[in-house]
Amino acid sequence: MFDHMLESSGEKKKKDVKSFFVALGIHLLVIAVIVGASALAITAVADPDMLITFVTAGSAPPPPPPPPPPPPAGASRPQTQTIKPPDPTEIVQPTQVPDKLPPQEDAPAQDFGVPGGVEGGVPGGVLGGVLGGVPGGVLGGTLGGTGDEPVMAGVGGVSLPVIIGEKIKPEYPEVARKARIGGKVILNAVIDRDGNVTDVTVLKGHPMLNNAAIEAVKKWKYKPATQNGKAVKVYMTVAVDFTLT
């Protein structure tokens, strides 16, 4: 009995070894088939083109120039000389004499005029006349005037007109008298060549007294003012007093 069991066990081991090798062969065959099929399925990939550029090295730059040699020992630096500008007020003697002198220009003739004349006046003008006036004009007149404009009395050789007789006193306005208003009225009077008062304007005064003062001055009579012996029309300042009694 025991011999039969040992025999059966030995046969069984032989069958297992044989099965193992058969299974191993089958697996190897399957793996070989799979690997072969994969190799057939993979297509060959071409190698990429490679761009190769050859760079040649250029010539090397020239070396820098050598530094200048140091100055020799004991060599002195050049000295700068400061030139002082000449003084325009100082008389400097020339160092060279020119061979030819430049021609001298003729100086314009100078008109020294007359004593007491005005610079810019005209020949034949009147002493004390207006600058820019014309010969024969009235002394003290305005440029472009007609000769009938009054000039200021007592200025520029013009005499003052002199009152003839007594000054006519103004009539005191009754309204101003009752209001106890008095004082002085300052007027500008124009006196013609006959000595008559032709125009009167108020410079300063009370409104209640101005008209009475104007009417009184217009009645005054003067000896005309003169200039170079001729009667002239003038203007002057006069005053009229109003005194309460």
mmCIF file of all heavy atoms in Angstrom, residues 15-31:
data_model
loop_
_atom_site.group_PDB
_atom_site.id
_atom_site.type_symbol
_atom_site.label_atom_id
_atom_site.label_comp_id
_atom_site.label_asym_id
_atom_site.label_seq_id
_atom_site.Cartn_x
_atom_site.Cartn_y
_atom_site.Cartn_z
ATOM 1 N N LYS A 15 4.471 14.849 -13.686
ATOM 2 C CA LYS A 15 3.436 15.568 -14.451
ATOM 3 C C LYS A 15 3.459 17.055 -14.160
ATOM 4 O O LYS A 15 3.288 17.883 -15.058
ATOM 5 C CB LYS A 15 2.047 14.990 -14.113
ATOM 6 C CG LYS A 15 1.847 13.579 -14.655
ATOM 7 C CD LYS A 15 0.441 13.087 -14.303
ATOM 8 C CE LYS A 15 0.190 11.657 -14.855
ATOM 9 N NZ LYS A 15 -1.151 11.153 -14.540
ATOM 10 N N ASP A 16 3.719 17.487 -12.929
ATOM 11 C CA ASP A 16 3.735 18.929 -12.584
ATOM 12 C C ASP A 16 4.910 19.621 -13.253
ATOM 13 O O ASP A 16 4.792 20.749 -13.756
ATOM 14 C CB ASP A 16 3.820 19.100 -11.045
ATOM 15 C CG ASP A 16 2.540 18.659 -10.368
ATOM 16 O OD1 ASP A 16 1.491 18.645 -11.051
ATOM 17 O OD2 ASP A 16 2.612 18.418 -9.141
ATOM 18 N N VAL A 17 6.057 18.954 -13.312
ATOM 19 C CA VAL A 17 7.225 19.593 -13.951
ATOM 20 C C VAL A 17 6.965 19.762 -15.431
ATOM 21 O O VAL A 17 7.267 20.788 -16.044
ATOM 22 C CB VAL A 17 8.487 18.775 -13.678
ATOM 23 C CG1 VAL A 17 9.661 19.278 -14.493
ATOM 24 C CG2 VAL A 17 8.820 18.751 -12.203
ATOM 25 N N LYS A 18 6.376 18.733 -16.033
ATOM 26 C CA LYS A 18 6.079 18.816 -17.461
ATOM 27 C C LYS A 18 5.063 19.898 -17.759
ATOM 28 O O LYS A 18 5.206 20.690 -18.740
ATOM 29 C CB LYS A 18 5.560 17.440 -17.919
ATOM 30 C CG LYS A 18 5.338 17.351 -19.419
ATOM 31 C CD LYS A 18 4.897 15.935 -19.801
ATOM 32 C CE LYS A 18 4.698 15.841 -21.317
ATOM 33 N NZ LYS A 18 4.276 14.445 -21.721
ATOM 34 N N SER A 19 4.069 20.025 -16.891
ATOM 35 C CA SER A 19 3.066 21.098 -17.098
ATOM 36 C C SER A 19 3.695 22.491 -16.953
ATOM 37 O O SER A 19 3.339 23.422 -17.659
ATOM 38 C CB SER A 19 1.927 20.911 -16.083
ATOM 39 O OG SER A 19 1.284 19.672 -16.297
ATOM 40 N N PHE A 20 4.618 22.589 -16.029
ATOM 41 C CA PHE A 20 5.270 23.895 -15.816
ATOM 42 C C PHE A 20 6.029 24.353 -17.056
ATOM 43 O O PHE A 20 5.929 25.493 -17.504
ATOM 44 C CB PHE A 20 6.199 23.808 -14.590
ATOM 45 C CG PHE A 20 7.080 25.007 -14.421
ATOM 46 C CD1 PHE A 20 6.549 26.182 -13.904
ATOM 47 C CD2 PHE A 20 8.418 24.955 -14.789
ATOM 48 C CE1 PHE A 20 7.368 27.274 -13.769
ATOM 49 C CE2 PHE A 20 9.223 26.046 -14.649
ATOM 50 C CZ PHE A 20 8.707 27.227 -14.131
ATOM 51 N N PHE A 21 6.793 23.432 -17.629
ATOM 52 C CA PHE A 21 7.573 23.798 -18.815
ATOM 53 C C PHE A 21 6.682 24.082 -20.003
ATOM 54 O O PHE A 21 6.950 24.962 -20.825
ATOM 55 C CB PHE A 21 8.591 22.694 -19.143
ATOM 56 C CG PHE A 21 9.780 22.706 -18.227
ATOM 57 C CD1 PHE A 21 9.961 21.723 -17.230
ATOM 58 C CD2 PHE A 21 10.733 23.705 -18.371
ATOM 59 C CE1 PHE A 21 11.063 21.755 -16.400
ATOM 60 C CE2 PHE A 21 11.840 23.692 -17.526
ATOM 61 C CZ PHE A 21 12.031 22.732 -16.527
ATOM 62 N N VAL A 22 5.579 23.327 -20.096
ATOM 63 C CA VAL A 22 4.640 23.603 -21.208
ATOM 64 C C VAL A 22 4.040 24.976 -21.056
ATOM 65 O O VAL A 22 3.925 25.757 -22.011
ATOM 66 C CB VAL A 22 3.557 22.506 -21.244
ATOM 67 C CG1 VAL A 22 2.449 22.880 -22.237
ATOM 68 C CG2 VAL A 22 4.168 21.170 -21.613
ATOM 69 N N ALA A 23 3.608 25.329 -19.802
ATOM 70 C CA ALA A 23 3.014 26.666 -19.582
ATOM 71 C C ALA A 23 4.028 27.769 -19.813
ATOM 72 O O ALA A 23 3.725 28.823 -20.372
ATOM 73 C CB ALA A 23 2.463 26.737 -18.155
ATOM 74 N N LEU A 24 5.284 27.506 -19.408
ATOM 75 C CA LEU A 24 6.325 28.532 -19.614
ATOM 76 C C LEU A 24 6.582 28.735 -21.088
ATOM 77 O O LEU A 24 6.754 29.876 -21.569
ATOM 78 C CB LEU A 24 7.609 28.081 -18.897
ATOM 79 C CG LEU A 24 8.800 29.045 -19.033
ATOM 80 C CD1 LEU A 24 8.453 30.406 -18.409
ATOM 81 C CD2 LEU A 24 10.040 28.428 -18.323
ATOM 82 N N GLY A 25 6.574 27.664 -21.857
ATOM 83 C CA GLY A 25 6.795 27.812 -23.289
ATOM 84 C C GLY A 25 5.680 28.588 -23.945
ATOM 85 O O GLY A 25 5.903 29.398 -24.847
ATOM 86 N N ILE A 26 4.456 28.280 -23.510
ATOM 87 C CA ILE A 26 3.298 29.016 -24.087
ATOM 88 C C ILE A 26 3.415 30.516 -23.798
ATOM 89 O O ILE A 26 3.179 31.381 -24.656
ATOM 90 C CB ILE A 26 1.991 28.414 -23.557
ATOM 91 C CG1 ILE A 26 1.800 26.978 -24.071
ATOM 92 C CG2 ILE A 26 0.804 29.283 -23.969
ATOM 93 C CD1 ILE A 26 0.623 26.231 -23.463
ATOM 94 N N HIS A 27 3.760 30.867 -22.558
ATOM 95 C CA HIS A 27 3.875 32.286 -22.201
ATOM 96 C C HIS A 27 4.977 32.966 -23.014
ATOM 97 O O HIS A 27 4.828 34.108 -23.484
ATOM 98 C CB HIS A 27 4.164 32.422 -20.689
ATOM 99 C CG HIS A 27 2.949 32.256 -19.825
ATOM 100 N ND1 HIS A 27 2.422 31.025 -19.419
ATOM 101 C CD2 HIS A 27 2.109 33.184 -19.278
ATOM 102 C CE1 HIS A 27 1.362 31.196 -18.694
ATOM 103 N NE2 HIS A 27 1.137 32.538 -18.568
ATOM 104 N N LEU A 28 6.103 32.256 -23.164
ATOM 105 C CA LEU A 28 7.188 32.873 -23.940
ATOM 106 C C LEU A 28 6.776 33.084 -25.373
ATOM 107 O O LEU A 28 7.129 34.100 -26.021
ATOM 108 C CB LEU A 28 8.442 31.992 -23.845
ATOM 109 C CG LEU A 28 9.105 31.928 -22.453
ATOM 110 C CD1 LEU A 28 10.280 30.915 -22.481
ATOM 111 C CD2 LEU A 28 9.597 33.318 -22.045
ATOM 112 N N LEU A 29 6.023 32.131 -25.909
ATOM 113 C CA LEU A 29 5.559 32.287 -27.289
ATOM 114 C C LEU A 29 4.623 33.476 -27.435
ATOM 115 O O LEU A 29 4.704 34.248 -28.401
ATOM 116 C CB LEU A 29 4.876 30.976 -27.712
ATOM 117 C CG LEU A 29 4.332 30.944 -29.162
ATOM 118 C CD1 LEU A 29 5.486 31.134 -30.155
ATOM 119 C CD2 LEU A 29 3.624 29.597 -29.436
ATOM 120 N N VAL A 30 3.735 33.582 -26.464
ATOM 121 C CA VAL A 30 2.781 34.715 -26.521
ATOM 122 C C VAL A 30 3.518 36.047 -26.432
ATOM 123 O O VAL A 30 3.233 36.998 -27.149
ATOM 124 C CB VAL A 30 1.733 34.577 -25.402
ATOM 125 C CG1 VAL A 30 0.876 35.841 -25.332
ATOM 126 C CG2 VAL A 30 0.863 33.349 -25.651
ATOM 127 N N ILE A 31 4.515 36.101 -25.526
ATOM 128 C CA ILE A 31 5.282 37.354 -25.380
ATOM 129 C C ILE A 31 6.053 37.655 -26.649
ATOM 130 O O ILE A 31 6.134 38.814 -27.099
ATOM 131 C CB ILE A 31 6.213 37.243 -24.163
ATOM 132 C CG1 ILE A 31 5.413 37.177 -22.851
ATOM 133 C CG2 ILE A 31 7.175 38.425 -24.113
ATOM 134 C CD1 ILE A 31 6.231 36.877 -21.615
#
